[in-house]
Coordinates of all heavy atoms in Angstrom, one line a residue:
M1 N -12.8 22.8 -0.3 CA -13.0 22.6 -1.8 C -12.6 21.1 -2.2 O -11.6 20.7 -1.7 CB -12.2 23.6 -2.5 CG -12.4 23.5 -4.0 SD -11.4 24.7 -5.0 CE -9.9 23.7 -5.3
K2 N -13.5 20.5 -2.9 CA -13.2 19.2 -3.5 C -13.5 19.2 -4.9 O -14.5 19.5 -5.4 CB -14.0 18.2 -2.7 CG -13.6 16.7 -3.0 CD -14.5 15.8 -2.3 CE -13.8 14.9 -1.3 NZ -14.6 13.8 -0.8
K3 N -12.4 18.9 -5.7 CA -12.5 18.9 -7.2 C -12.6 17.4 -7.6 O -12.0 16.5 -6.9 CB -11.4 19.5 -7.9 CG -11.6 21.1 -7.9 CD -10.7 21.7 -9.0 CE -11.3 22.9 -9.5 NZ -10.8 23.3 -10.9
I4 N -13.3 17.1 -8.6 CA -13.4 15.7 -9.1 C -13.0 15.7 -10.6 O -13.3 16.5 -11.4 CB -14.9 15.3 -9.0 CG1 -15.3 15.3 -7.5 CG2 -15.1 13.9 -9.6 CD1 -16.8 15.0 -7.3
Y5 N -12.1 14.7 -10.8 CA -11.8 14.4 -12.2 C -12.1 13.0 -12.4 O -11.8 12.1 -11.6 CB -10.2 14.6 -12.4 CG -9.7 15.9 -11.9 CD1 -9.4 16.1 -10.6 CD2 -9.7 17.0 -12.8 CE1 -8.9 17.4 -10.2 CE2 -9.3 18.2 -12.4 CZ -8.9 18.4 -11.1 OH -8.4 19.6 -10.6
E6 N -12.8 12.6 -13.6 CA -13.1 11.2 -13.7 C -13.2 10.8 -15.2 O -13.4 11.6 -16.1 CB -14.5 11.0 -13.0 CG -15.7 11.6 -13.7 CD -17.0 11.3 -13.0 OE1 -17.0 10.8 -11.9 OE2 -18.0 11.6 -13.6
N7 N -13.1 9.5 -15.4 CA -13.4 8.9 -16.7 C -14.2 7.6 -16.4 O -14.8 7.5 -15.2 CB -12.1 8.6 -17.5 CG -11.2 7.7 -16.8 OD1 -11.5 6.9 -15.9 ND2 -9.9 7.7 -17.2
K8 N -14.3 6.7 -17.3 CA -15.1 5.6 -17.1 C -14.6 4.6 -16.0 O -15.3 3.8 -15.4 CB -15.3 4.8 -18.3 CG -16.1 5.5 -19.3 CD -16.3 4.6 -20.6 CE -17.0 5.4 -21.7 NZ -17.1 4.6 -22.9
R9 N -13.3 4.7 -15.7 CA -12.7 3.7 -14.9 C -12.4 4.2 -13.5 O -12.4 3.4 -12.5 CB -11.3 3.3 -15.5 CG -11.3 2.7 -16.8 CD -11.9 1.2 -16.7 NE -11.4 0.5 -15.6 CZ -10.3 -0.2 -15.5 NH1 -9.5 -0.1 -16.6 NH2 -10.0 -0.9 -14.5
I10 N -12.2 5.5 -13.3 CA -11.7 6.0 -12.0 C -12.2 7.4 -11.8 O -12.4 8.2 -12.8 CB -10.2 5.9 -11.8 CG1 -9.8 6.3 -10.4 CG2 -9.5 6.8 -12.9 CD1 -8.2 5.9 -10.2
R11 N -12.6 7.8 -10.6 CA -13.0 9.1 -10.2 C -12.0 9.5 -9.2 O -11.8 8.9 -8.1 CB -14.3 9.1 -9.6 CG -14.9 10.4 -9.1 CD -16.3 10.3 -8.6 NE -17.2 10.0 -9.7 CZ -18.2 9.1 -9.6 NH1 -18.4 8.5 -8.4 NH2 -19.0 8.8 -10.6
V12 N -11.3 10.7 -9.4 CA -10.2 11.1 -8.5 C -10.7 12.4 -7.8 O -11.3 13.3 -8.5 CB -9.0 11.5 -9.3 CG1 -8.0 12.3 -8.5 CG2 -8.3 10.2 -9.9
F13 N -10.5 12.5 -6.5 CA -11.0 13.6 -5.7 C -9.7 14.4 -5.3 O -8.7 13.8 -4.9 CB -11.7 13.1 -4.4 CG -12.9 12.3 -4.7 CD1 -12.8 10.9 -4.7 CD2 -14.1 12.9 -5.1 CE1 -14.0 10.2 -4.9 CE2 -15.3 12.1 -5.3 CZ -15.1 10.7 -5.3
W14 N -9.8 15.7 -5.4 CA -8.6 16.5 -5.1 C -9.1 17.6 -4.0 O -10.0 18.4 -4.3 CB -8.1 17.2 -6.3 CG -7.2 18.4 -6.2 CD1 -7.4 19.7 -6.7 CD2 -6.0 18.4 -5.5 NE1 -6.4 20.5 -6.4 CE2 -5.5 19.7 -5.6 CE3 -5.2 17.5 -4.8 CZ2 -4.3 20.1 -5.0 CZ3 -4.0 17.9 -4.2 CH2 -3.6 19.2 -4.3
E15 N -8.4 17.5 -2.8 CA -8.8 18.5 -1.8 C -7.5 19.3 -1.5 O -6.6 18.8 -0.7 CB -9.3 17.8 -0.6 CG -10.6 17.1 -0.8 CD -11.0 16.2 0.3 OE1 -11.6 16.8 1.3 OE2 -10.8 14.9 0.3
P16 N -7.3 20.4 -2.2 CA -6.0 21.1 -2.1 C -5.6 21.6 -0.6 O -4.4 21.6 -0.3 CB -6.2 22.3 -3.0 CG -7.6 22.4 -3.3 CD -8.2 21.0 -3.1
E17 N -6.6 21.8 0.2 CA -6.3 22.3 1.5 C -5.6 21.2 2.4 O -4.9 21.5 3.4 CB -7.5 22.8 2.3 CG -8.6 21.9 2.5 CD -9.5 21.7 1.3 OE1 -9.3 22.2 0.3 OE2 -10.5 21.0 1.5
K18 N -5.7 20.0 1.9 CA -5.1 18.9 2.7 C -3.6 18.6 2.2 O -2.9 17.8 2.9 CB -5.8 17.6 2.5 CG -7.2 17.5 3.3 CD -7.7 16.1 3.1 CE -9.1 16.0 3.8 NZ -9.7 14.7 3.6
C19 N -3.2 19.2 1.1 CA -1.9 18.8 0.5 C -0.8 19.2 1.3 O -0.7 20.4 1.8 CB -1.9 19.4 -1.0 SG -0.4 19.0 -1.9
V20 N 0.2 18.4 1.5 CA 1.4 18.7 2.3 C 2.6 18.8 1.3 O 3.8 18.8 1.8 CB 1.7 17.7 3.4 CG1 0.6 17.8 4.4 CG2 1.9 16.3 2.9
H21 N 2.4 18.8 0.1 CA 3.4 19.1 -1.0 C 4.6 18.1 -0.9 O 5.7 18.5 -1.1 CB 3.9 20.6 -0.9 CG 2.8 21.5 -0.9 ND1 2.0 21.8 -2.0 CD2 2.2 22.3 0.1 CE1 1.0 22.6 -1.7 NE2 1.1 23.0 -0.4
S22 N 4.2 16.9 -0.7 CA 5.3 15.9 -0.8 C 5.8 15.6 -2.1 O 6.9 15.0 -2.3 CB 4.7 14.5 -0.2 OG 3.8 14.0 -1.1
T23 N 5.0 16.0 -3.1 CA 5.3 15.8 -4.6 C 5.3 14.3 -5.0 O 5.7 14.0 -6.1 CB 6.6 16.5 -5.1 OG1 7.7 15.8 -4.6 CG2 6.6 17.9 -4.7
N24 N 4.8 13.4 -4.2 CA 4.8 12.0 -4.6 C 3.9 11.8 -5.9 O 4.3 11.0 -6.7 CB 4.1 11.2 -3.5 CG 5.0 11.0 -2.3 OD1 6.0 11.6 -2.2 ND2 4.5 10.2 -1.3
C25 N 2.8 12.6 -6.0 CA 2.0 12.4 -7.1 C 2.7 12.9 -8.4 O 2.7 12.2 -9.5 CB 0.7 13.2 -6.9 SG 0.8 14.9 -6.5
L26 N 3.4 14.1 -8.3 CA 4.1 14.7 -9.4 C 5.2 13.8 -9.9 O 5.4 13.7 -11.1 CB 4.6 16.1 -9.1 CG 3.6 17.0 -8.4 CD1 4.3 18.3 -8.0 CD2 2.4 17.3 -9.3
R27 N 5.9 13.2 -8.9 CA 7.1 12.3 -9.4 C 6.6 11.0 -9.8 O 7.2 10.3 -10.6 CB 8.1 12.2 -8.2 CG 8.9 13.6 -8.0 CD 9.8 13.5 -6.8 NE 9.1 13.5 -5.5 CZ 9.2 12.5 -4.6 NH1 9.9 11.4 -4.9 NH2 8.5 12.7 -3.5
G28 N 5.5 10.5 -9.1 CA 5.0 9.2 -9.5 C 4.4 9.0 -10.8 O 4.7 8.1 -11.6
L29 N 3.6 10.0 -11.2 CA 2.9 10.0 -12.5 C 2.9 11.4 -13.1 O 1.9 12.0 -13.2 CB 1.5 9.5 -12.4 CG 1.2 8.0 -12.5 CD1 -0.3 7.7 -12.5 CD2 1.8 7.3 -13.8
P30 N 4.0 11.9 -13.6 CA 4.1 13.2 -14.1 C 3.2 13.5 -15.3 O 2.8 14.6 -15.6 CB 5.6 13.4 -14.5 CG 6.2 12.1 -14.5 CD 5.4 11.2 -13.7
Q31 N 2.9 12.4 -16.0 CA 2.0 12.6 -17.2 C 0.6 12.8 -16.8 O -0.3 13.4 -17.6 CB 2.1 11.4 -18.2 CG 1.5 10.1 -17.7 CD 2.5 9.3 -16.9 OE1 3.3 9.8 -16.1 NE2 2.4 8.0 -17.2
V32 N 0.2 12.5 -15.6 CA -1.2 12.7 -15.1 C -1.2 13.9 -14.1 O -2.1 14.7 -14.3 CB -1.6 11.4 -14.2 CG1 -2.9 11.7 -13.6 CG2 -1.7 10.2 -15.2
F33 N -0.2 14.0 -13.3 CA -0.3 15.1 -12.3 C 0.8 16.2 -12.7 O 2.0 15.9 -12.6 CB 0.0 14.6 -10.9 CG -1.0 13.6 -10.4 CD1 -0.6 12.2 -10.4 CD2 -2.3 13.9 -10.1 CE1 -1.6 11.2 -10.0 CE2 -3.2 13.0 -9.7 CZ -2.9 11.6 -9.7
D34 N 0.4 17.3 -13.2 CA 1.3 18.3 -13.7 C 0.7 19.7 -13.3 O -0.3 20.1 -13.9 CB 1.4 18.2 -15.2 CG 2.5 19.1 -15.8 OD1 2.8 20.1 -15.1 OD2 2.9 18.9 -16.9
I35 N 1.4 20.3 -12.4 CA 0.9 21.6 -11.8 C 1.0 22.7 -12.8 O 0.4 23.7 -12.6 CB 1.6 22.0 -10.5 CG1 3.1 22.0 -10.6 CG2 1.2 21.1 -9.3 CD1 3.8 22.6 -9.4
H36 N 1.7 22.4 -13.9 CA 1.8 23.5 -14.9 C 0.7 23.5 -16.0 O 0.7 24.2 -16.9 CB 3.2 23.4 -15.6 CG 4.4 23.6 -14.6 ND1 4.5 24.8 -13.9 CD2 5.3 22.7 -14.2 CE1 5.6 24.6 -13.2 NE2 6.0 23.4 -13.3
K37 N -0.1 22.4 -15.8 CA -1.2 22.3 -16.8 C -2.6 22.6 -16.1 O -2.7 22.4 -14.9 CB -1.2 20.9 -17.4 CG 0.0 20.6 -18.3 CD -0.2 19.5 -19.2 CE 1.0 19.3 -20.1 NZ 1.4 17.9 -20.4
R38 N -3.6 23.0 -16.9 CA -4.9 23.1 -16.5 C -5.8 22.3 -17.3 O -5.8 22.4 -18.6 CB -5.3 24.6 -16.5 CG -4.6 25.4 -15.5 CD -5.0 25.1 -14.1 NE -4.3 25.9 -13.1 CZ -3.1 25.6 -12.5 NH1 -2.6 24.4 -12.9 NH2 -2.6 26.3 -11.6
P39 N -6.6 21.3 -16.8 CA -6.5 21.0 -15.4 C -5.3 20.3 -15.0 O -4.7 19.7 -15.9 CB -7.8 20.1 -15.2 CG -8.0 19.5 -16.6 CD -7.6 20.5 -17.6
W40 N -4.8 20.4 -13.8 CA -3.5 19.8 -13.4 C -3.6 18.2 -13.3 O -2.6 17.6 -13.3 CB -3.0 20.4 -12.1 CG -3.6 19.8 -10.9 CD1 -4.8 20.0 -10.3 CD2 -3.0 18.8 -10.0 NE1 -5.0 19.2 -9.2 CE2 -3.9 18.6 -8.9 CE3 -1.7 18.3 -10.0 CZ2 -3.5 17.7 -7.9 CZ3 -1.4 17.4 -8.9 CH2 -2.3 17.1 -7.9
V41 N -4.8 17.7 -13.3 CA -5.0 16.2 -13.3 C -5.4 15.8 -14.7 O -6.6 16.2 -15.1 CB -6.0 15.7 -12.2 CG1 -6.1 14.2 -12.2 CG2 -5.5 16.2 -10.9
N42 N -4.6 15.1 -15.4 CA -5.0 14.5 -16.7 C -5.4 13.0 -16.5 O -4.5 12.2 -16.6 CB -3.9 14.6 -17.8 CG -4.4 14.1 -19.1 OD1 -5.5 13.5 -19.3 ND2 -3.6 14.3 -20.2
I43 N -6.7 12.8 -16.2 CA -7.1 11.5 -15.9 C -7.0 10.4 -16.9 O -7.0 9.2 -16.6 CB -8.6 11.7 -15.4 CG1 -9.1 10.5 -14.5 CG2 -9.5 11.8 -16.6 CD1 -8.6 10.6 -13.1
N44 N -6.8 10.8 -18.2 CA -6.7 9.9 -19.3 C -5.2 9.6 -19.7 O -5.0 9.0 -20.7 CB -7.5 10.4 -20.5 CG -9.0 10.5 -20.1 OD1 -9.6 9.5 -19.6 ND2 -9.6 11.6 -20.4
A45 N -4.3 10.1 -19.0 CA -2.9 10.0 -19.4 C -2.2 8.7 -18.8 O -1.1 8.5 -19.1 CB -2.1 11.2 -18.9
A46 N -2.9 7.9 -18.1 CA -2.4 6.6 -17.6 C -3.6 5.7 -17.3 O -4.7 6.2 -17.2 CB -1.6 6.9 -16.3
E47 N -3.2 4.4 -17.1 CA -4.3 3.4 -16.7 C -4.8 3.8 -15.3 O -4.1 4.3 -14.5 CB -3.7 2.0 -16.7 CG -3.3 1.6 -18.1 CD -4.5 1.4 -19.0 OE1 -5.6 1.0 -18.6 OE2 -4.4 1.8 -20.2
A48 N -6.1 3.5 -15.1 CA -6.7 3.7 -13.8 C -6.0 3.0 -12.7 O -5.8 3.6 -11.6 CB -8.1 3.3 -13.8
E49 N -5.5 1.8 -13.0 CA -4.7 1.1 -11.9 C -3.4 1.8 -11.5 O -3.0 1.8 -10.4 CB -4.4 -0.3 -12.4 CG -5.5 -1.3 -12.4 CD -6.0 -1.6 -10.9 OE1 -5.1 -1.6 -10.0 OE2 -7.2 -1.7 -10.7
E50 N -2.7 2.4 -12.5 CA -1.6 3.2 -12.2 C -1.8 4.4 -11.4 O -1.2 4.8 -10.5 CB -0.9 3.6 -13.6 CG -0.2 2.7 -14.3 CD 0.4 3.2 -15.6 OE1 -0.3 3.3 -16.6 OE2 1.6 3.6 -15.5
I51 N -3.0 5.1 -11.7 CA -3.4 6.3 -11.0 C -3.8 5.9 -9.6 O -3.3 6.6 -8.6 CB -4.6 7.0 -11.7 CG1 -4.2 7.5 -13.1 CG2 -5.2 8.1 -10.9 CD1 -5.3 8.1 -13.9
K52 N -4.4 4.8 -9.4 CA -4.8 4.3 -8.1 C -3.5 4.0 -7.3 O -3.4 4.5 -6.1 CB -5.6 3.0 -8.3 CG -5.9 2.2 -7.1 CD -6.6 0.9 -7.5 CE -7.0 0.0 -6.4 NZ -5.9 -0.7 -5.7
R53 N -2.6 3.3 -7.9 CA -1.3 3.1 -7.1 C -0.6 4.3 -6.7 O 0.0 4.4 -5.6 CB -0.4 2.1 -7.9 CG -0.7 0.7 -7.9 CD 0.4 -0.2 -8.4 NE 0.7 0.0 -9.8 CZ 0.1 -0.6 -10.8 NH1 -0.9 -1.4 -10.6 NH2 0.4 -0.3 -12.1
C54 N -0.6 5.3 -7.7 CA 0.1 6.5 -7.3 C -0.6 7.3 -6.2 O 0.1 7.8 -5.2 CB 0.2 7.4 -8.6 SG 1.0 8.9 -8.4
I55 N -1.9 7.4 -6.3 CA -2.7 8.1 -5.2 C -2.5 7.4 -3.9 O -2.5 8.0 -2.8 CB -4.2 8.2 -5.6 CG1 -4.2 9.2 -6.8 CG2 -5.0 8.7 -4.5 CD1 -5.6 9.4 -7.4
D56 N -2.3 6.1 -3.9 CA -2.1 5.3 -2.7 C -0.8 5.9 -1.9 O -0.6 5.6 -0.8 CB -1.9 3.9 -2.9 CG -3.3 3.2 -3.1 OD1 -4.3 3.8 -2.7 OD2 -3.3 2.1 -3.7
T57 N 0.1 6.5 -2.7 CA 1.3 7.1 -2.0 C 1.1 8.5 -1.5 O 2.1 9.0 -1.0 CB 2.5 7.1 -3.1 OG1 2.3 8.1 -4.0 CG2 2.7 5.7 -3.7
C58 N 0.0 9.1 -1.7 CA -0.2 10.4 -1.2 C -0.4 10.3 0.3 O -1.3 9.7 0.8 CB -1.6 11.0 -1.8 SG -2.0 12.6 -1.2
P59 N 0.5 11.0 1.0 CA 0.5 10.9 2.5 C -0.6 11.7 3.2 O -0.8 11.4 4.4 CB 1.9 11.5 2.9 CG 2.2 12.5 1.8 CD 1.6 11.9 0.6
S60 N -1.2 12.6 2.5 CA -2.1 13.5 3.3 C -3.6 13.2 3.1 O -4.4 13.7 3.8 CB -1.8 15.0 2.8 OG -2.2 15.0 1.4
G61 N -3.9 12.4 2.0 CA -5.3 12.3 1.7 C -5.8 13.3 0.8 O -7.1 13.4 0.5
A62 N -5.0 14.3 0.4 CA -5.5 15.3 -0.6 C -6.0 14.7 -1.9 O -6.9 15.3 -2.4 CB -4.3 16.3 -0.8
L63 N -5.3 13.7 -2.3 CA -5.8 13.0 -3.5 C -6.4 11.7 -3.0 O -5.8 10.9 -2.1 CB -4.6 12.6 -4.4 CG -4.1 13.7 -5.3 CD1 -2.8 13.3 -6.0 CD2 -5.2 14.1 -6.4
S64 N -7.6 11.4 -3.5 CA -8.3 10.1 -3.2 C -9.0 9.6 -4.5 O -9.1 10.4 -5.4 CB -9.2 10.2 -2.0 OG -10.1 11.2 -2.2
Y65 N -9.6 8.5 -4.5 CA -10.1 8.0 -5.7 C -11.3 7.0 -5.4 O -11.3 6.4 -4.2 CB -9.1 7.3 -6.6 CG -8.5 6.1 -5.9 CD1 -9.1 4.8 -5.9 CD2 -7.3 6.3 -5.2 CE1 -8.5 3.7 -5.3 CE2 -6.7 5.2 -4.5 CZ -7.3 3.9 -4.6 OH -6.7 2.9 -3.9
E66 N -12.0 6.7 -6.4 CA -13.0 5.7 -6.3 C -12.9 5.0 -7.7 O -12.9 5.6 -8.7 CB -14.4 6.4 -6.2 CG -15.6 5.6 -6.0 CD -16.8 6.5 -5.9 OE1 -16.7 7.7 -5.8 OE2 -17.9 5.9 -6.0
M67 N -12.8 3.6 -7.6 CA -12.7 2.9 -8.9 C -14.2 2.7 -9.4 O -15.1 2.5 -8.6 CB -12.1 1.5 -8.7 CG -10.6 1.6 -8.2 SD -9.6 2.6 -9.3 CE -9.3 1.5 -10.6
L68 N -14.3 2.8 -10.7 CA -15.7 2.8 -11.3 C -15.8 1.5 -12.2 O -14.8 1.0 -12.7 CB -16.0 4.0 -12.1 CG -15.8 5.4 -11.4 CD1 -15.9 6.5 -12.4 CD2 -16.8 5.5 -10.3
E69 N -17.0 1.1 -12.5 CA -17.3 0.1 -13.4 C -16.9 0.5 -14.8 O -17.1 1.7 -15.2 CB -18.7 -0.3 -13.4 CG -19.2 -0.8 -12.1 CD -18.5 -2.1 -11.7 OE1 -18.2 -2.9 -12.6 OE2 -18.3 -2.3 -10.5
M70 N -16.3 -0.4 -15.6 CA -15.9 0.0 -17.0 C -17.0 0.5 -17.8 O -16.9 1.3 -18.7 CB -15.2 -1.2 -17.6 CG -13.8 -1.3 -17.4 SD -13.0 -2.5 -18.4 CE -12.4 -1.5 -19.7
D71 N -18.2 -0.1 -17.7 CA -19.3 0.2 -18.6 C -20.1 1.4 -18.0 O -21.1 1.8 -18.6 CB -20.2 -1.0 -18.8 CG -20.8 -1.5 -17.5 OD1 -20.4 -1.1 -16.4 OD2 -21.6 -2.4 -17.6
K72 N -19.7 2.0 -16.9 CA -20.4 3.1 -16.4 C -20.1 4.4 -17.1 O -18.9 4.6 -17.3 CB -20.1 3.2 -14.8 CG -21.0 4.2 -14.1 CD -20.7 4.1 -12.6 CE -21.4 5.1 -11.8 NZ -21.0 5.1 -10.5
Q73 N -21.0 5.2 -17.4 CA -20.7 6.5 -18.1 C -20.3 7.5 -17.1 O -20.8 7.6 -16.0 CB -21.9 7.0 -18.9 CG -22.2 6.0 -20.1 CD -21.1 5.9 -21.1 OE1 -20.5 7.0 -21.5 NE2 -20.6 4.8 -21.4
Ligands
LIG101 S1 1.1 13.2 -3.1 FE1 -0.6 14.2 -2.0 S2 0.4 15.5 -0.4 FE2 1.9 14.9 -2.0 S3 1.8 16.7 -3.5 FE3 0.5 15.1 -4.2 S4 -1.5 15.6 -3.4 FE4 0.0 16.7 -2.2

């Protein structure tokens, strides 16, 4: 399963079966990654660059991203 969360700046991919529960994402950007919320990824709660940097700390590849053009819908 691959879920996608996106806005104009960034597209985040979530593959739960790859997650090793390091909690890097939850500790790194708790306003974006919150397992108590639905959806658990709030893509608009931080700048795309911050989300990118946080996802770069994901050790398993469960979270990945693609940066998008600002003017792309
Ligand atoms: S950082 Fe990656 S491996 Fe760690 S909890 Fe988040 S999604 Fe899972």
